[in-house]
Amino acid sequence: MSVRPNRAASLLAGFCLLLLATLAIASTGTADHSKFKELQGPFKSGEEVTAACLACHTEAAKQVMATRHWTWEYVNPDTGQKLGKKTMLNGFCIGDRSNEAFCQSCHIGYGWKDETFDFTAENKVDCLACHNTGAYRKLAGFAGHPPYERIEFPPKSGKFVEATDLASVAQSIGATSRRTCGACHYFGGGGDGVKHGDLDSSLNKPDKALDVHMAADGLNFTCASCHKTDKHAVAGSRISMTGADPHGAIMRGEKTDRNPATCQACHGDRPHKGDFQHSERLNDHTRTLACQTCHIPEFARGGVPTKMGWDWSTAGKLTPEGKPFQLKDDSGHVIYDSKKGDFVLGENVQPDYLWFNGQVSYTQPDTRIDPATRVAINTFHGTPGASDARIWPVKTFHGKQPYDTEHLTLLVPHTATPDDTAFWYNFDWPKALQAGADATGQPYSGKFDFVETSMLWPITHMVAPKDKALDCAQCHANDGRLAGVPGVWMPGRDRNAMLDTFGFGLAGLMLLGAIGHGGLRFLTRNKRKEH
C-alpha cells in the first residue's frame, strides 16, 4: 500500500505528538511518594533519606556508584588518560583537591570533604540532588550536605538560609529536570554560566529564540530527553565526545552503541527537507560541518554572561583597610574579585571553529609545560577533511594561573575551605600553593609564577530556530566565520593564483581562437561566394 507524501507526513507528525504526550504522562510518575510511610520522616540527615529510598529502589545506589557522576574519575578510552573532576585541571577554579568540602556541593553524595570519603557507602548517595522538585539546595562548603539548620550564608553576609525540610523534599521527588541538572552544570566554575557558555540558568525557562528544543512553550525537552540514562549512567561527555555521527536517526528501542545525545541520533545525517536542490546542498554540508556550527550562531544568548578570561595573577589586592573587595561593570556583573582576580565576560559570543573528531587530551598535574607559550589545558583533535572529523564551534577560554617555575607543572592552589592556608582567607599564595601540592601529592619547589593558559569548551546547547541559523554569506566570504579553519576550499572565498592563471589563460586562448576563426571566415567570405 502506498501512502501519499502529505499523508505520510501527517501520520509521522501525529506519531511524534502521541509520543511526546506519552512521555509527558510518564513524567508525572505512577506513584505518589507523599503517601509512602517510609518518607514521612522526620529525617535528621540526607543519609537517612537515602536509606528510606533504598528500601524500595534496592539497586539504585549500586548503579549510581558505577557512574562518573559518583566517582569523578574516568579513563578516556581514546587517550588512556585518567581524567575526572577529582584530578583534572581547568582554567577556572583550577583543581578540586584540598577544596573538596567546597567543590563537592556538586557531588551526588554526602560528606566528601577529603581523601577519607567512603565511595562504597550506599547511604552516602544523594538521591535528592537529581530527583528533587524544589526547595532543596546543597551549599558550597558543606561537603555535599544541604543545611540541616538555619544558618547565615555566606558567613558574615547578613543573609540566612532556612533548614531543609527533608521529609517534604523526599515526598515530592520526581524525574530529573533542567533545573536539577543545571544546579551543578549551569553553575560550575564558580557561578552562573561561567564555564560552558551554552549552559546557564536562562535555560530553565527558555523561549524558542534561545533553544528550540528546551523552549518551555515548545518541545520543552529536559536534559534527559537527549542525555538518555541507562542504570543511572548518563550518555554524553565533554571528555570523550562523538565528533561525527554519519548515520540515520536511532529508532526508538533500537539496540545500538551510538551516542543518543548527538544531533544525528534524532535528525539523521541528512536532516534538511524542502526544495530538493537547496536541501541536498545543505545535506552535503553535513560531511564537513557539525550541526551546531550553523545552528548555534552565538552562545551566552540568554542574558547571562559567560567568562571568557580569568587572571589569577591579580588576585589578592585589598583595600587600604586590608579588606577584600569586588568591582562590577555597568550591568552589575563582577569583573574583579580579590579572591579570584580579573575576569573577562562575554554575551552573544561568536564561537571559534576547528576540526574535531571527538578525541580530547588534557594537560595533567604532572605534565611538563613550556611557560614561554600559552599552555593548552586541553586539545581537541581532528584532521582537516577526515571522515571522522567535523568543523565544530567552541568557546575558547583564556586564563592565567600558577605554575612551578622549577618543575614546570601547573599548580592546584588551596583556596576555598577555611583554614590558615586557604588563599581566600589569608591571600598568601606560597601557603595556598604548598597546601594544594600537599593535597595532590604533587612535587613543589616553593617557587612559582603565573602562566597564560587556554581551554576549549564544545558548544552544543542554545540551538537557535532554523531561520536564525547561519546563512551562506556568513561563511562563504573572505572574512567569513571559517576564514581561519584549515583544509576548507570555500567557493566564493578561496583562490589559487596558479589555477586562476591557468583558467584565465585558457579562457583567453578560447577567446582568441573564436576571434581568429571569425576573422578567417570574414576574410574568405568573397571566395565562398565566387565558388
Side-chain angles (χ1 to χ4, degrees), residues 285-321:
H285 280 65
T286 64
R287 294 196 294 262
T288 304
L289 303 175
C291 300
Q292 295 89 332
T293 295
C294 292
H295 289 278
I296 309 178
E298 292 90 22
F299 57 87
R301 300 200 315 273
V304 178
T306 187
K307 280 190 174 65
M308 301 299 295
W310 184 331
D311 185 353
W312 278 95
S313 71
T314 60
K317 297 176 184 178
L318 304 174
T319 67
E321 296 76 29

mmCIF file of all heavy atoms in Angstrom, residues 285-321:
data_model
loop_
_atom_site.group_PDB
_atom_site.id
_atom_site.type_symbol
_atom_site.label_atom_id
_atom_site.label_comp_id
_atom_site.label_asym_id
_atom_site.label_seq_id
_atom_site.Cartn_x
_atom_site.Cartn_y
_atom_site.Cartn_z
ATOM 1 N N HIS A 285 26.618 19.464 3.245
ATOM 2 C CA HIS A 285 27.477 20.145 4.213
ATOM 3 C C HIS A 285 27.698 19.303 5.476
ATOM 4 O O HIS A 285 28.656 19.541 6.210
ATOM 5 C CB HIS A 285 26.880 21.499 4.602
ATOM 6 C CG HIS A 285 27.119 22.593 3.609
ATOM 7 N ND1 HIS A 285 26.593 22.566 2.343
ATOM 8 C CD2 HIS A 285 27.836 23.756 3.698
ATOM 9 C CE1 HIS A 285 26.960 23.661 1.692
ATOM 10 N NE2 HIS A 285 27.717 24.390 2.481
ATOM 11 N N THR A 286 26.798 18.350 5.755
ATOM 12 C CA THR A 286 26.938 17.563 6.978
ATOM 13 C C THR A 286 28.153 16.648 6.941
ATOM 14 O O THR A 286 28.535 16.091 7.969
ATOM 15 C CB THR A 286 25.676 16.719 7.235
ATOM 16 O OG1 THR A 286 25.514 15.748 6.187
ATOM 17 C CG2 THR A 286 24.441 17.606 7.319
ATOM 18 N N ARG A 287 28.765 16.490 5.759
ATOM 19 C CA ARG A 287 30.003 15.705 5.678
ATOM 20 C C ARG A 287 31.202 16.512 6.167
ATOM 21 O O ARG A 287 32.282 15.953 6.354
ATOM 22 C CB ARG A 287 30.235 15.233 4.238
ATOM 23 C CG ARG A 287 29.192 14.243 3.734
ATOM 24 C CD ARG A 287 29.690 13.521 2.488
ATOM 25 N NE ARG A 287 29.835 14.429 1.365
ATOM 26 C CZ ARG A 287 28.932 14.588 0.404
ATOM 27 N NH1 ARG A 287 27.801 13.907 0.447
ATOM 28 N NH2 ARG A 287 29.136 15.419 -0.609
ATOM 29 N N THR A 288 30.999 17.812 6.361
ATOM 30 C CA THR A 288 32.087 18.695 6.771
ATOM 31 C C THR A 288 31.797 19.420 8.078
ATOM 32 O O THR A 288 32.700 19.612 8.897
ATOM 33 C CB THR A 288 32.355 19.754 5.673
ATOM 34 O OG1 THR A 288 32.634 19.090 4.445
ATOM 35 C CG2 THR A 288 33.526 20.647 6.056
ATOM 36 N N LEU A 289 30.549 19.810 8.273
ATOM 37 C CA LEU A 289 30.188 20.650 9.412
ATOM 38 C C LEU A 289 29.394 19.874 10.452
ATOM 39 O O LEU A 289 28.530 19.069 10.116
ATOM 40 C CB LEU A 289 29.341 21.837 8.943
ATOM 41 C CG LEU A 289 29.935 22.763 7.888
ATOM 42 C CD1 LEU A 289 28.894 23.793 7.465
ATOM 43 C CD2 LEU A 289 31.181 23.454 8.413
ATOM 44 N N ALA A 290 29.682 20.139 11.726
ATOM 45 C CA ALA A 290 28.786 19.695 12.784
ATOM 46 C C ALA A 290 27.499 20.507 12.694
ATOM 47 O O ALA A 290 27.513 21.672 12.282
ATOM 48 C CB ALA A 290 29.442 19.901 14.144
ATOM 49 N N CYS A 291 26.391 19.911 13.058
ATOM 50 C CA CYS A 291 25.106 20.630 13.005
ATOM 51 C C CYS A 291 25.178 21.924 13.812
ATOM 52 O O CYS A 291 24.617 22.954 13.431
ATOM 53 C CB CYS A 291 23.990 19.751 13.560
ATOM 54 S SG CYS A 291 23.754 18.195 12.667
ATOM 55 N N GLN A 292 25.895 21.868 14.959
ATOM 56 C CA GLN A 292 25.963 23.018 15.857
ATOM 57 C C GLN A 292 26.636 24.224 15.201
ATOM 58 O O GLN A 292 26.382 25.368 15.600
ATOM 59 C CB GLN A 292 26.730 22.636 17.127
ATOM 60 C CG GLN A 292 26.047 21.580 17.978
ATOM 61 C CD GLN A 292 26.422 20.158 17.596
ATOM 62 O OE1 GLN A 292 26.763 19.883 16.441
ATOM 63 N NE2 GLN A 292 26.377 19.250 18.559
ATOM 64 N N THR A 293 27.488 23.994 14.211
ATOM 65 C CA THR A 293 28.221 25.088 13.582
ATOM 66 C C THR A 293 27.275 26.096 12.942
ATOM 67 O O THR A 293 27.474 27.307 13.051
ATOM 68 C CB THR A 293 29.211 24.535 12.540
ATOM 69 O OG1 THR A 293 30.199 23.751 13.221
ATOM 70 C CG2 THR A 293 29.887 25.647 11.779
ATOM 71 N N CYS A 294 26.241 25.622 12.283
ATOM 72 C CA CYS A 294 25.280 26.521 11.647
ATOM 73 C C CYS A 294 24.134 26.901 12.573
ATOM 74 O O CYS A 294 23.595 28.009 12.482
ATOM 75 C CB CYS A 294 24.700 25.890 10.386
ATOM 76 S SG CYS A 294 25.882 25.706 9.035
ATOM 77 N N HIS A 295 23.765 25.987 13.461
ATOM 78 C CA HIS A 295 22.522 26.174 14.213
ATOM 79 C C HIS A 295 22.723 26.786 15.597
ATOM 80 O O HIS A 295 21.741 26.974 16.321
ATOM 81 C CB HIS A 295 21.768 24.846 14.299
ATOM 82 C CG HIS A 295 21.187 24.424 12.980
ATOM 83 N ND1 HIS A 295 19.986 24.918 12.509
ATOM 84 C CD2 HIS A 295 21.669 23.587 12.013
ATOM 85 C CE1 HIS A 295 19.736 24.384 11.325
ATOM 86 N NE2 HIS A 295 20.744 23.577 11.003
ATOM 87 N N ILE A 296 23.974 27.062 15.993
ATOM 88 C CA ILE A 296 24.224 27.827 17.222
ATOM 89 C C ILE A 296 25.118 29.003 16.827
ATOM 90 O O ILE A 296 26.347 28.949 16.953
ATOM 91 C CB ILE A 296 24.886 26.973 18.313
ATOM 92 C CG1 ILE A 296 24.099 25.676 18.530
ATOM 93 C CG2 ILE A 296 24.971 27.769 19.625
ATOM 94 C CD1 ILE A 296 24.709 24.751 19.558
ATOM 95 N N PRO A 297 24.544 30.065 16.284
ATOM 96 C CA PRO A 297 25.347 31.179 15.751
ATOM 97 C C PRO A 297 26.108 31.949 16.826
ATOM 98 O O PRO A 297 27.178 32.471 16.562
ATOM 99 C CB PRO A 297 24.315 32.070 15.061
ATOM 100 C CG PRO A 297 23.007 31.723 15.713
ATOM 101 C CD PRO A 297 23.102 30.274 16.077
ATOM 102 N N GLU A 298 25.558 32.030 18.047
ATOM 103 C CA GLU A 298 26.241 32.656 19.176
ATOM 104 C C GLU A 298 25.890 31.869 20.436
ATOM 105 O O GLU A 298 24.860 31.207 20.505
ATOM 106 C CB GLU A 298 25.818 34.125 19.376
ATOM 107 C CG GLU A 298 26.252 35.079 18.290
ATOM 108 C CD GLU A 298 25.219 35.180 17.180
ATOM 109 O OE1 GLU A 298 24.031 34.868 17.443
ATOM 110 O OE2 GLU A 298 25.582 35.559 16.048
ATOM 111 N N PHE A 299 26.755 31.967 21.449
ATOM 112 C CA PHE A 299 26.426 31.385 22.747
ATOM 113 C C PHE A 299 26.316 32.501 23.790
ATOM 114 O O PHE A 299 26.577 33.662 23.504
ATOM 115 C CB PHE A 299 27.428 30.305 23.165
ATOM 116 C CG PHE A 299 28.870 30.735 23.227
ATOM 117 C CD1 PHE A 299 29.394 31.311 24.373
ATOM 118 C CD2 PHE A 299 29.722 30.533 22.144
ATOM 119 C CE1 PHE A 299 30.731 31.688 24.439
ATOM 120 C CE2 PHE A 299 31.058 30.902 22.203
ATOM 121 C CZ PHE A 299 31.561 31.482 23.351
ATOM 122 N N ALA A 300 25.904 32.123 25.003
ATOM 123 C CA ALA A 300 25.602 33.098 26.070
ATOM 124 C C ALA A 300 24.577 34.111 25.566
ATOM 125 O O ALA A 300 24.744 35.314 25.693
ATOM 126 C CB ALA A 300 26.871 33.792 26.568
ATOM 127 N N ARG A 301 23.474 33.599 24.996
ATOM 128 C CA ARG A 301 22.452 34.458 24.407
ATOM 129 C C ARG A 301 21.285 34.738 25.339
ATOM 130 O O ARG A 301 20.379 35.491 24.984
ATOM 131 C CB ARG A 301 21.883 33.826 23.120
ATOM 132 C CG ARG A 301 22.891 33.573 22.024
ATOM 133 C CD ARG A 301 22.207 33.433 20.665
ATOM 134 N NE ARG A 301 21.030 32.605 20.680
ATOM 135 C CZ ARG A 301 21.020 31.276 20.519
ATOM 136 N NH1 ARG A 301 22.172 30.636 20.355
ATOM 137 N NH2 ARG A 301 19.888 30.599 20.529
ATOM 138 N N GLY A 302 21.263 34.137 26.520
ATOM 139 C CA GLY A 302 20.085 34.235 27.371
ATOM 140 C C GLY A 302 20.109 35.337 28.399
ATOM 141 O O GLY A 302 19.274 35.367 29.300
ATOM 142 N N GLY A 303 21.076 36.263 28.305
ATOM 143 C CA GLY A 303 21.160 37.349 29.269
ATOM 144 C C GLY A 303 22.095 37.075 30.421
ATOM 145 O O GLY A 303 22.244 37.921 31.315
ATOM 146 N N VAL A 304 22.726 35.896 30.425
ATOM 147 C CA VAL A 304 23.705 35.552 31.464
ATOM 148 C C VAL A 304 25.094 35.552 30.824
ATOM 149 O O VAL A 304 25.345 34.742 29.921
ATOM 150 C CB VAL A 304 23.416 34.170 32.079
ATOM 151 C CG1 VAL A 304 24.463 33.813 33.128
ATOM 152 C CG2 VAL A 304 22.018 34.141 32.699
ATOM 153 N N PRO A 305 25.998 36.416 31.242
ATOM 154 C CA PRO A 305 27.324 36.446 30.617
ATOM 155 C C PRO A 305 28.145 35.227 31.021
ATOM 156 O O PRO A 305 27.964 34.667 32.107
ATOM 157 C CB PRO A 305 27.946 37.734 31.167
ATOM 158 C CG PRO A 305 27.264 37.954 32.475
ATOM 159 C CD PRO A 305 25.856 37.452 32.292
ATOM 160 N N THR A 306 29.037 34.821 30.152
ATOM 161 C CA THR A 306 29.957 33.736 30.444
ATOM 162 C C THR A 306 31.361 34.302 30.585
ATOM 163 O O THR A 306 31.691 35.343 30.006
ATOM 164 C CB THR A 306 29.910 32.666 29.341
ATOM 165 O OG1 THR A 306 30.698 31.532 29.743
ATOM 166 C CG2 THR A 306 30.457 33.190 28.018
ATOM 167 N N LYS A 307 32.193 33.616 31.345
ATOM 168 C CA LYS A 307 33.577 34.066 31.495
ATOM 169 C C LYS A 307 34.387 33.627 30.288
ATOM 170 O O LYS A 307 34.411 32.463 29.916
ATOM 171 C CB LYS A 307 34.195 33.511 32.777
ATOM 172 C CG LYS A 307 33.810 34.289 34.030
ATOM 173 C CD LYS A 307 34.627 33.849 35.237
ATOM 174 C CE LYS A 307 34.339 34.746 36.437
ATOM 175 N NZ LYS A 307 32.962 34.644 36.927
ATOM 176 N N MET A 308 35.069 34.603 29.679
ATOM 177 C CA MET A 308 35.954 34.329 28.558
ATOM 178 C C MET A 308 37.416 34.396 28.987
ATOM 179 O O MET A 308 38.297 33.940 28.262
ATOM 180 C CB MET A 308 35.700 35.330 27.430
ATOM 181 C CG MET A 308 34.273 35.315 26.889
ATOM 182 S SD MET A 308 33.797 33.722 26.188
ATOM 183 C CE MET A 308 34.928 33.608 24.796
ATOM 184 N N GLY A 309 37.671 34.973 30.158
ATOM 185 C CA GLY A 309 39.035 35.076 30.655
ATOM 186 C C GLY A 309 39.044 35.215 32.164
ATOM 187 O O GLY A 309 38.118 35.762 32.767
ATOM 188 N N TRP A 310 40.115 34.681 32.782
ATOM 189 C CA TRP A 310 40.245 34.715 34.249
ATOM 190 C C TRP A 310 41.730 34.819 34.565
ATOM 191 O O TRP A 310 42.511 33.925 34.253
ATOM 192 C CB TRP A 310 39.644 33.447 34.836
ATOM 193 C CG TRP A 310 39.600 33.357 36.333
ATOM 194 C CD1 TRP A 310 40.439 33.926 37.243
ATOM 195 C CD2 TRP A 310 38.643 32.601 37.097
ATOM 196 N NE1 TRP A 310 40.069 33.590 38.510
ATOM 197 C CE2 TRP A 310 38.976 32.781 38.449
ATOM 198 C CE3 TRP A 310 37.564 31.799 36.765
ATOM 199 C CZ2 TRP A 310 38.251 32.166 39.482
ATOM 200 C CZ3 TRP A 310 36.849 31.198 37.781
ATOM 201 C CH2 TRP A 310 37.174 31.386 39.124
ATOM 202 N N ASP A 311 42.130 35.915 35.195
ATOM 203 C CA ASP A 311 43.537 36.177 35.525
ATOM 204 C C ASP A 311 43.741 36.047 37.029
ATOM 205 O O ASP A 311 43.454 36.969 37.799
ATOM 206 C CB ASP A 311 43.927 37.574 35.042
ATOM 207 C CG ASP A 311 45.410 37.864 35.251
ATOM 208 O OD1 ASP A 311 46.108 37.043 35.890
ATOM 209 O OD2 ASP A 311 45.876 38.919 34.780
ATOM 210 N N TRP A 312 44.256 34.888 37.459
ATOM 211 C CA TRP A 312 44.510 34.651 38.881
ATOM 212 C C TRP A 312 45.684 35.482 39.400
ATOM 213 O O TRP A 312 45.808 35.699 40.613
ATOM 214 C CB TRP A 312 44.804 33.173 39.119
ATOM 215 C CG TRP A 312 43.616 32.284 39.226
ATOM 216 C CD1 TRP A 312 43.037 31.547 38.228
ATOM 217 C CD2 TRP A 312 42.845 32.011 40.408
ATOM 218 N NE1 TRP A 312 41.965 30.840 38.708
ATOM 219 C CE2 TRP A 312 41.822 31.096 40.044
ATOM 220 C CE3 TRP A 312 42.928 32.434 41.731
ATOM 221 C CZ2 TRP A 312 40.888 30.608 40.964
ATOM 222 C CZ3 TRP A 312 41.997 31.955 42.649
ATOM 223 C CH2 TRP A 312 40.991 31.054 42.264
ATOM 224 N N SER A 313 46.536 35.949 38.514
ATOM 225 C CA SER A 313 47.748 36.646 38.978
ATOM 226 C C SER A 313 47.440 37.972 39.656
ATOM 227 O O SER A 313 48.270 38.504 40.402
ATOM 228 C CB SER A 313 48.709 36.877 37.811
ATOM 229 O OG SER A 313 48.216 37.867 36.918
ATOM 230 N N THR A 314 46.240 38.537 39.400
ATOM 231 C CA THR A 314 45.885 39.821 40.005
ATOM 232 C C THR A 314 45.089 39.641 41.295
ATOM 233 O O THR A 314 44.709 40.637 41.929
ATOM 234 C CB THR A 314 45.060 40.668 39.029
ATOM 235 O OG1 THR A 314 43.850 39.969 38.694
ATOM 236 C CG2 THR A 314 45.846 40.929 37.746
ATOM 237 N N ALA A 315 44.823 38.400 41.692
ATOM 238 C CA ALA A 315 44.082 38.161 42.927
ATOM 239 C C ALA A 315 44.915 38.601 44.128
ATOM 240 O O ALA A 315 46.148 38.633 44.083
ATOM 241 C CB ALA A 315 43.725 36.685 43.045
ATOM 242 N N GLY A 316 44.224 38.935 45.199
ATOM 243 C CA GLY A 316 44.927 39.287 46.438
ATOM 244 C C GLY A 316 45.014 40.767 46.735
ATOM 245 O O GLY A 316 45.528 41.155 47.785
ATOM 246 N N LYS A 317 44.520 41.611 45.833
ATOM 247 C CA LYS A 317 44.505 43.046 46.122
ATOM 248 C C LYS A 317 43.497 43.323 47.237
ATOM 249 O O LYS A 317 42.411 42.739 47.269
ATOM 250 C CB LYS A 317 44.127 43.841 44.872
ATOM 251 C CG LYS A 317 45.113 43.703 43.723
ATOM 252 C CD LYS A 317 44.595 44.467 42.493
ATOM 253 C CE LYS A 317 45.505 44.266 41.295
ATOM 254 N NZ LYS A 317 44.970 44.973 40.093
ATOM 255 N N LEU A 318 43.850 44.230 48.145
ATOM 256 C CA LEU A 318 42.993 44.549 49.275
ATOM 257 C C LEU A 318 42.778 46.055 49.378
ATOM 258 O O LEU A 318 43.520 46.842 48.792
ATOM 259 C CB LEU A 318 43.611 44.025 50.579
ATOM 260 C CG LEU A 318 43.930 42.519 50.627
ATOM 261 C CD1 LEU A 318 44.663 42.178 51.919
ATOM 262 C CD2 LEU A 318 42.660 41.681 50.489
ATOM 263 N N THR A 319 41.761 46.444 50.095
ATOM 264 C CA THR A 319 41.506 47.864 50.332
ATOM 265 C C THR A 319 42.575 48.419 51.280
ATOM 266 O O THR A 319 43.315 47.653 51.911
ATOM 267 C CB THR A 319 40.121 48.058 50.962
ATOM 268 O OG1 THR A 319 40.127 47.490 52.283
ATOM 269 C CG2 THR A 319 39.039 47.404 50.127
ATOM 270 N N PRO A 320 42.664 49.741 51.409
ATOM 271 C CA PRO A 320 43.607 50.322 52.376
ATOM 272 C C PRO A 320 43.396 49.802 53.799
ATOM 273 O O PRO A 320 44.332 49.794 54.613
ATOM 274 C CB PRO A 320 43.322 51.823 52.284
ATOM 275 C CG PRO A 320 42.829 52.011 50.889
ATOM 276 C CD PRO A 320 42.027 50.792 50.589
ATOM 277 N N GLU A 321 42.191 49.338 54.088
ATOM 278 C CA GLU A 321 41.903 48.788 55.412
ATOM 279 C C GLU A 321 42.236 47.303 55.502
ATOM 280 O O GLU A 321 42.003 46.658 56.528
ATOM 281 C CB GLU A 321 40.423 48.982 55.753
ATOM 282 C CG GLU A 321 39.978 50.436 55.869
ATOM 283 C CD GLU A 321 39.827 51.112 54.517
ATOM 284 O OE1 GLU A 321 39.517 50.392 53.529
ATOM 285 O OE2 GLU A 321 40.044 52.336 54.434
#
